[in-house]
Amino acid sequence: MRPCRLLSTLRIGTKGVLQAKNTQIPPWKTMTRRKSNKGYLGKRQRTSNPNKDGGTSEGILLEDVRKLLAAHCASKPSVQDVIGENVPDTAALTYTPPERFTEIQVKISRLSAAGDGLGISSTANHVYVVPFTLPGDTVKAKVINYFAQDQYTLADFVKVVEPAPKRDDSLIRCPYFSRCSGCQFQMLRYEDQLSHKRTVIESAYRNFSTLTPDVVPLVGETVGSPLQYGYRTKLTPHFDGPPGSLSRKAGLNGARRKEFDQVPPIGFNLKGTRRIIDIEDCPLGTELVRSGLARERDRVTKDIATFRKGATLLLRESTSRKPNRQTLPASTKSSSEQITETVKANTGGYLIEKDLPIKAKMDTGSASNRSPLYVEEKTCITDANAICTEFIDDFEFTNPAGAFFQNNNSILPKFTAYIRNHIRPSGPEASTKSIKYLIDAYCGSGLFTVTLSSLFSSSLGIDIASASIASAKENAVRNKVSNASFMTADASALFKEVNFSPEETVVVIDPPRKGCDDAFLRQLLHFGPRRVIYVSCNVHTQARDVGVLVEGLGRWRYEIESLRGFDFFPQTAHVEGVAMLNRSSRISSPP
């Protein structure tokens, strides 16, 4: 059976890869183009070879669409098989999409990496992309944008016609779900969310690493978050300027800005648009952050006349620990300190209930005599320059409230413990020369440098941002870490300053979503540390970069020991990936 034709300008080549046909410009050459949309123009999209640029959402979606179309074509005979060798397959070329904004019925086949449902058209080799849906759903959707060359249409979710077996709408806790762009999976059981995120990592390595299956290990089960709601310690709702606001250029030329004549929507983007919808509450936020959101909304409403443009609000939870006074006689406590103890079942600790729950750590005495050593008091910070404090087990971290720090504190102890337990090699590798040195590339405020430092003789944290290095140095002092040093440097040039023996060094990589650049990967392969731990918030760019490390483009190549995901953001499609790699062999120099 021959594969059916997918695109007029593309054909299925060897190894199932779509290749260009009758074109002078390779389709993987990065370009910006405005796609035709049945007489109107779709949004401008950046297109490129997904194996080269796995960080773009369009490239990842296009790969998901191609895989679904290939599977669909393989499951049915082509026109040539049925009629004859010389008859062209024109289904893709003659397909006429529904009019924009008309409603259609779609049966969803699978989920994309972004958590959107993908359904095949009943009349052609064409995919509809519908958010807030699950495989097995039959839904009504509204056509928005049609991309003929790539054979998919973006559609808005309207309603469920026939639910999938795994859909359970009783699980939904947010009245804005199916409109707000923040969550994708509130209607899906948490165990199924974790399973899906495991398949996302598998697909990322299959589609973007260029590696053969035999060198990619089985992906471990996704590590779940202890909290599936109420976990976000940071929210950043926003609002736009007054309708018809002046451009920045016009404002600089002295033109008068328009004023607000009413309170604008304050919240997050409507799915698939840049339009903000008004959101009064977000159940993903911690209780304190949600209270802070209500207060900030009231403040903006009261002071809206003082705003001349849109703004982004900051709500960041900060924690302080104070010695416990619970054992003091009641007569020595103020009335506000007459607090109630309840057992927190999932940690074995106490909740100290004042206005909001405050966690406490217990001493190591017998169960009947244990008492909390300290209580945690939490505040909500709204100033981006104010100092925020986070605790991960007994480690304390401070940084500006507007700076980056993982905002699901409930999973961080699990996450850092996993890295700590696997930072050294296992099996036969463990019996060779011990690893003494740690390099923490993209170190930020020192999360890994500080939490892992006790395992090494010396640790080095590197970041391009001087403000992050300042926070990292302060956090090292705060946690009494004396064997760590930090420097400001571009990650692509960091190994010029390293004097550690590669044979005794492990490198932890935690880059931004775009992944590592070529210069950094070349340096890393030239340096050849004994072990590499790659942490990423984008498993697609991680897969791309790990593929480079395994193939080897410098002195060394690596092998993947393990792959596993961590669910930092329940109810969403995001998954954090952790890849453990060992140096495997030296590459011979060319003659």
Side-chain angles (χ1 to χ4, degrees):
M1 183 183 296
R2 299 174 183 83
C4 64
R5 188 170 172 181
L6 298 183
L7 301 174
S8 59
T9 58
L10 298 179
R11 64 180 171 85
I12 296 182
T14 57
K15 300 183 181 178
V17 178
L18 289 168
Q19 300 173 340
K21 182 179 182 181
N22 299 326
T23 179
Q24 295 179 347
I25 302 175
W28 53 83
K29 184 177 179 62
T30 301
M31 67 191 80
T32 300
R33 58 188 168 90
R34 190 173 288 276
K35 296 184 174 184
S36 174
N37 200 351
K38 198 186 176 187
Y40 50 84
L41 297 177
K43 69 175 182 179
R44 191 177 295 276
Q45 292 198 342
R46 184 179 178 88
T47 60
S48 59
N49 174 16
N51 285 330
K52 178 67 176 175
D53 193 15
T56 67
S57 57
E58 292 89 355
I60 296 167
L61 173 60
L62 184 56
E63 192 67 14
D64 287 335
V65 168
R66 287 172 172 172
K67 295 296 184 184
L68 178 57
L69 286 172
H72 176 65
C73 289
S75 67
K76 68 175 186 177
S78 67
V79 174
Q80 290 91 339
D81 287 323
V82 175
I83 301 178
E85 196 67 39
N86 298 321
V87 178
D89 182 1
T90 59
L93 305 181
T94 60
Y95 174 66
T96 302
E99 292 290 337
R100 196 181 190 195
F101 302 131
T102 58
E103 293 185 355
I104 58 173
Q105 188 163 296
V106 183
K107 179 67 176 287
I108 303 301
S109 300
R110 65 175 63 173
L111 287 173
S112 72
D116 296 329
L118 305 178
I120 293 282
S121 168
S122 60
T123 59
N125 297 320
H126 191 84
V127 173
Y128 291 104
V129 182
V130 189
F132 312 113
T133 59
L134 296 175
D137 275 340
T138 298
V139 299
K140 185 171 286 187
K142 181 183 292 185
V143 172
I144 301 298
N145 280 331
Y146 167 55
F147 301 118
Q149 183 177 347
D150 293 330
Q151 287 183 277
Y152 71 86
T153 293
L154 299 180
D156 280 348
F157 172 82
V158 177
K159 68 176 184 179
V160 176
V161 176
E162 184 176 342
K166 290 187 176 181
R167 173 180 283 273
D168 184 355
D169 287 346
S170 70
L171 299 173
I172 297 172
R173 297 191 187 182
C174 179
Y176 309 103
F177 182 71
S178 79
R179 297 177 61 228
C180 174
S181 59
C183 293
Q184 293 78 47
F185 295 144
Q186 288 195 25
M187 71 303 205
L188 186 62
R189 291 187 313 158
Y190 191 53
E191 312 90 82
D192 294 323
Q193 293 184 36
L194 297 179
S195 296
H196 168 68
K197 295 183 181 188
R198 184 181 187 181
T199 66
V200 168
I201 300 175
E202 292 170 343
S203 297
Y205 277 81
R206 186 165 53 247
N207 297 338
F208 294 94
S209 71
T210 71
L211 299 174
T212 56
D214 58 298
V215 299
V216 179
L218 292 176
V219 177
E221 293 184 359
T222 308
V223 177
S225 170
L227 297 177
Q228 288 91 57
Y229 285 91
Y231 62 81
R232 287 193 66 110
T233 56
K234 180 182 179 181
L235 288 176
T236 53
H238 46 281
F239 61 91
D240 287 334
S245 294
L246 292 170
S247 67
R248 183 174 182 272
K249 182 178 180 180
L252 292 175
N253 291 334
R256 180 179 175 82
R257 288 185 174 273
K258 290 191 174 184
E259 299 180 355
F260 285 101
D261 56 9
Q262 61 182 352
V263 179
I266 304 169
F268 304 105
N269 287 0
L270 179 70
K271 175 67 175 177
T273 75
R274 294 183 179 179
R275 183 160 65 89
I276 297 172
I277 57 174
D278 196 59
I279 292 181
E280 296 183 356
D281 187 25
C282 176
L284 298 191
T286 66
E287 192 168 354
L288 190 66
V289 165
R290 294 169 71 180
S291 297
L293 173 59
R295 290 194 299 272
E296 281 296 278
R297 285 175 56 86
D298 288 344
R299 179 182 68 83
V300 172
T301 299
K302 179 181 178 182
D303 299 338
I304 193 62
T306 66
F307 289 89
R308 293 294 179 267
K309 56 183 180 179
T312 297
L313 308 178
L314 172 67
L315 306 160
R316 179 75 179 267
E317 185 174 280
S318 182
T319 303
S320 64
R321 287 180 174 176
K322 297 183 178 181
N324 177 41
R325 299 182 63 194
Q326 200 170 355
T327 56
L328 295 176
S331 60
T332 67
K333 301 180 184 180
S334 67
S335 59
S336 63
E337 291 177 304
Q338 299 296 319
I339 53 183
T340 305
E341 297 180 1
T342 58
V343 175
K344 188 177 183 183
N346 62 336
T347 65
Y350 285 99
L351 288 176
I352 308 302
E353 297 181 349
K354 276 187 179 178
D355 295 331
L356 292 171
I358 305 174
K359 186 170 63 176
K361 181 177 179 179
M362 296 183 296
D363 63 24
T364 56
S366 64
S368 59
N369 296 322
R370 287 186 298 175
S371 61
L373 298 176
Y374 57 76
V375 293
E376 289 185 349
E377 293 187 351
K378 299 181 181 294
T379 56
C380 183
I381 294 177
T382 58
D383 179 0
N385 296 315
I387 298 301
C388 173
T389 303
E390 297 266 4
F391 287 88
I392 304 172
D393 292 325
D394 290 330
F395 294 103
E396 181 179 0
F397 292 88
T398 62
N399 51 44
F404 172 78
F405 197 84
Q406 294 286 3
N407 61 28
N408 180 353
N409 188 276
S410 75
I411 197 174
L412 282 175
K414 277 187 179 183
F415 177 65
T416 54
Y418 179 83
I419 302 295
R420 185 181 181 89
N421 293 337
H422 294 83
I423 193 77
R424 296 182 181 278
S426 58
E429 281 287 318
S431 61
T432 58
K433 199 170 186 178
S434 63
I435 294 180
K436 298 179 180 179
Y437 307 109
L438 166 69
I439 297 175
D440 182 7
Y442 310 93
C443 73
S445 57
L447 173 64
F448 295 120
T449 316
V450 170
T451 58
L452 299 173
S453 61
S454 63
L455 300 176
F456 302 97
S457 300
S458 184
S459 302
L460 174 63
I462 306 170
D463 200 278
I464 193 172
S466 57
S468 295
I469 291 299
S471 293
K473 289 179 177 178
E474 183 176 341
N475 288 328
V477 172
R478 187 178 299 273
N479 290 279
K480 298 181 174 57
V481 174
S482 59
N483 64 337
S485 59
F486 299 90
M487 68 177 184
T488 304
D490 189 333
S492 64
L494 66 89
F495 291 103
K496 294 179 181 178
E497 309 293 332
V498 172
N499 296 317
F500 297 159
S501 164
E503 184 67 26
E504 301 173 291
T505 300
V506 59
V507 174
V508 175
I509 307 170
D510 187 6
R513 291 190 62 80
K514 67 179 182 179
C516 303
D517 60 29
D518 292 340
F520 173 81
L521 294 175
R522 284 195 298 270
Q523 281 192 78
L524 181 64
L525 287 166
H526 184 81
F527 179 68
R530 171 94 164 280
R531 191 162 168 82
V532 173
I533 313 299
Y534 194 139
V535 177
S536 178
C537 59
N538 184 342
V539 294
H540 303 90
T541 51
Q542 181 195 61
R544 179 199 65 198
D545 295 344
V546 168
V548 173
L549 297 179
V550 173
E551 293 287 350
L553 298 178
R555 291 180 179 177
W556 300 93
R557 62 167 54 99
Y558 287 77
E559 62 183 16
I560 309 173
E561 177 183 288
S562 65
L563 298 169
R564 184 177 289 269
F566 283 77
D567 189 19
F568 275 75
F569 299 99
Q571 318 309 326
T572 79
H574 298 290
V575 60
E576 194 93 359
V578 179
M580 307 284 180
L581 298 98
N582 290 312
R583 193 181 65 193
S584 62
S585 61
R586 189 179 183 94
I587 300 175
S588 300
S589 300

Coordinates of all heavy atoms in Angstrom, one line a residue, residues 103-108 117 119 128-134 136-142 155-164 167:
E103 N -19.7 26.7 12.2 CA -19.6 25.6 13.2 C -19.6 24.3 12.5 O -20.3 24.1 11.6 CB -20.7 25.7 14.3 CG -20.5 27.0 15.2 CD -21.5 27.0 16.3 OE1 -22.4 26.1 16.3 OE2 -21.5 27.9 17.1
I104 N -18.7 23.4 13.0 CA -18.5 22.1 12.4 C -18.5 21.1 13.5 O -18.4 21.4 14.7 CB -17.2 22.0 11.6 CG1 -16.0 22.3 12.5 CG2 -17.2 22.9 10.4 CD1 -14.7 22.0 11.9
Q105 N -18.7 19.8 13.2 CA -18.6 18.7 14.2 C -17.4 17.9 13.9 O -17.1 17.6 12.7 CB -19.9 17.8 14.1 CG -19.9 16.8 15.2 CD -21.3 16.2 15.3 OE1 -22.3 16.9 15.7 NE2 -21.5 14.9 15.0
V106 N -16.6 17.7 14.9 CA -15.3 17.0 14.8 C -15.2 15.9 15.8 O -15.5 16.0 17.0 CB -14.1 18.0 15.0 CG1 -12.8 17.3 14.7 CG2 -14.3 19.2 14.1
K107 N -14.7 14.7 15.4 CA -14.3 13.6 16.3 C -12.8 13.7 16.5 O -12.0 13.7 15.6 CB -14.7 12.3 15.6 CG -14.3 11.1 16.5 CD -15.2 11.0 17.7 CE -15.0 9.7 18.5 NZ -15.5 8.5 17.9
I108 N -12.4 13.8 17.8 CA -11.0 14.0 18.2 C -10.3 12.7 18.2 O -10.8 11.7 18.9 CB -11.0 14.8 19.6 CG1 -11.7 16.1 19.5 CG2 -9.5 15.0 19.9 CD1 -11.2 17.1 18.5
G117 N -6.9 19.2 21.1 CA -7.3 18.0 20.4 C -7.1 18.1 18.9 O -7.2 19.2 18.4
G119 N -8.4 16.4 15.3 CA -9.4 15.6 14.6 C -9.3 15.6 13.1 O -9.0 16.7 12.6
Y128 N -8.3 19.3 12.1 CA -8.8 20.4 12.9 C -8.2 20.4 14.3 O -8.1 19.3 14.9 CB -10.4 20.2 13.0 CG -11.1 20.5 11.7 CD1 -11.6 19.4 11.0 CD2 -11.2 21.8 11.2 CE1 -12.3 19.6 9.8 CE2 -11.9 22.0 10.0 CZ -12.4 20.9 9.3 OH -13.0 21.1 8.1
V129 N -7.7 21.5 14.7 CA -7.1 21.7 16.0 C -8.1 22.4 16.9 O -8.4 23.5 16.7 CB -5.8 22.5 15.9 CG1 -5.1 22.6 17.3 CG2 -4.8 21.9 14.9
V130 N -8.6 21.6 18.0 CA -9.6 22.1 18.8 C -9.2 22.1 20.3 O -8.9 21.0 20.8 CB -10.9 21.3 18.7 CG1 -12.1 22.0 19.4 CG2 -11.3 21.2 17.2
P131 N -9.0 23.2 21.0 CA -8.6 23.2 22.4 C -9.7 22.6 23.3 O -10.9 22.5 22.9 CB -8.3 24.6 22.7 CG -9.2 25.4 21.8 CD -9.3 24.5 20.5
F132 N -9.3 22.2 24.5 CA -10.2 21.8 25.6 C -11.0 20.5 25.2 O -12.1 20.3 25.6 CB -11.2 22.9 25.9 CG -10.6 24.2 26.2 CD1 -10.8 25.3 25.3 CD2 -9.7 24.4 27.3 CE1 -10.2 26.5 25.5 CE2 -9.1 25.6 27.5 CZ -9.3 26.7 26.6
T133 N -10.4 19.7 24.4 CA -11.0 18.4 24.0 C -10.1 17.2 24.3 O -8.9 17.4 24.5 CB -11.3 18.4 22.5 OG1 -10.1 18.6 21.7 CG2 -12.3 19.5 22.1
L134 N -10.6 16.0 24.2 CA -9.9 14.8 24.5 C -10.1 13.8 23.4 O -11.2 13.8 22.7 CB -10.4 14.2 25.9 CG -10.1 15.0 27.1 CD1 -10.8 14.4 28.3 CD2 -8.6 15.2 27.4
G136 N -11.5 10.9 21.6 CA -12.8 10.2 21.8 C -14.0 11.2 21.8 O -15.2 10.8 21.7
D137 N -13.7 12.5 22.1 CA -14.7 13.5 22.1 C -15.3 13.7 20.7 O -14.5 13.7 19.7 CB -14.2 14.8 22.6 CG -14.2 15.0 24.1 OD1 -14.9 14.2 24.8 OD2 -13.4 15.8 24.6
T138 N -16.6 13.9 20.6 CA -17.2 14.5 19.4 C -17.7 15.9 19.8 O -18.4 16.0 20.8 CB -18.3 13.7 18.9 OG1 -17.9 12.4 18.5 CG2 -19.0 14.3 17.7
V139 N -17.1 16.9 19.2 CA -17.4 18.3 19.6 C -17.9 19.1 18.5 O -17.7 18.8 17.3 CB -16.2 18.9 20.3 CG1 -15.7 18.1 21.5 CG2 -15.0 19.0 19.2
K140 N -18.5 20.2 18.9 CA -18.9 21.3 17.9 C -17.8 22.3 18.1 O -17.5 22.7 19.2 CB -20.2 21.9 18.2 CG -20.7 22.9 17.2 CD -22.2 23.3 17.4 CE -23.1 22.2 16.9 NZ -24.5 22.5 16.9
A141 N -17.2 22.8 17.0 CA -16.2 23.8 17.0 C -16.4 24.8 15.9 O -17.1 24.6 14.9 CB -14.8 23.1 16.7
K142 N -15.8 26.0 16.2 CA -16.0 27.1 15.2 C -14.7 27.3 14.5 O -13.6 27.5 15.1 CB -16.3 28.4 16.0 CG -16.6 29.6 15.1 CD -16.8 30.9 15.9 CE -18.2 30.8 16.6 NZ -18.5 32.0 17.4
A155 N -9.5 25.9 15.3 CA -10.9 26.1 15.6 C -11.1 26.4 17.1 O -10.3 25.9 17.9 CB -11.7 24.8 15.2
D156 N -12.2 27.1 17.4 CA -12.5 27.3 18.8 C -13.5 26.2 19.3 O -14.4 25.8 18.5 CB -13.2 28.7 19.0 CG -12.2 29.8 19.0 OD1 -11.0 29.5 19.1 OD2 -12.6 31.0 18.9
F157 N -13.3 25.8 20.5 CA -14.2 24.9 21.2 C -15.6 25.6 21.4 O -15.6 26.7 21.9 CB -13.6 24.4 22.5 CG -14.6 23.6 23.3 CD1 -14.7 22.2 23.1 CD2 -15.2 24.2 24.4 CE1 -15.6 21.5 23.9 CE2 -16.1 23.4 25.2 CZ -16.3 22.1 24.9
V158 N -16.7 24.9 21.0 CA -18.0 25.4 21.3 C -18.7 24.6 22.4 O -19.1 25.1 23.4 CB -18.9 25.4 20.0 CG1 -20.3 25.9 20.3 CG2 -18.2 26.3 19.0
K159 N -18.8 23.3 22.1 CA -19.5 22.4 23.1 C -19.2 20.9 22.8 O -18.8 20.6 21.7 CB -21.0 22.6 23.2 CG -21.7 22.2 22.0 CD -23.2 22.4 22.2 CE -24.0 21.8 21.0 NZ -25.5 22.0 21.2
V160 N -19.4 20.1 23.8 CA -19.2 18.6 23.6 C -20.5 18.1 23.1 O -21.6 18.3 23.7 CB -18.8 18.0 24.9 CG1 -18.8 16.4 24.8 CG2 -17.5 18.5 25.4
V161 N -20.5 17.3 22.0 CA -21.7 16.7 21.5 C -21.8 15.3 22.1 O -22.8 14.9 22.6 CB -21.6 16.6 20.0 CG1 -22.8 15.7 19.4 CG2 -21.6 17.9 19.3
E162 N -20.7 14.5 22.1 CA -20.6 13.2 22.8 C -19.3 13.1 23.5 O -18.2 13.2 22.9 CB -20.7 12.1 21.7 CG -20.8 10.7 22.3 CD -21.0 9.7 21.3 OE1 -21.4 10.0 20.1 OE2 -20.7 8.5 21.6
P163 N -19.3 13.0 24.8 CA -18.0 13.0 25.6 C -17.2 11.7 25.4 O -17.7 10.6 25.2 CB -18.5 13.1 27.0 CG -19.8 12.5 27.0 CD -20.4 12.8 25.7
A164 N -15.9 11.9 25.5 CA -15.0 10.7 25.5 C -15.1 10.0 26.8 O -15.5 10.6 27.8 CB -13.5 11.2 25.3
R167 N -13.4 11.8 29.7 CA -13.8 13.1 30.1 C -14.7 13.1 31.3 O -15.7 12.3 31.4 CB -14.6 13.8 28.9 CG -15.2 15.2 29.3 CD -15.9 15.8 28.1 NE -15.0 16.4 27.2 CZ -14.5 17.6 27.3 NH1 -14.9 18.4 28.3 NH2 -13.7 18.1 26.3

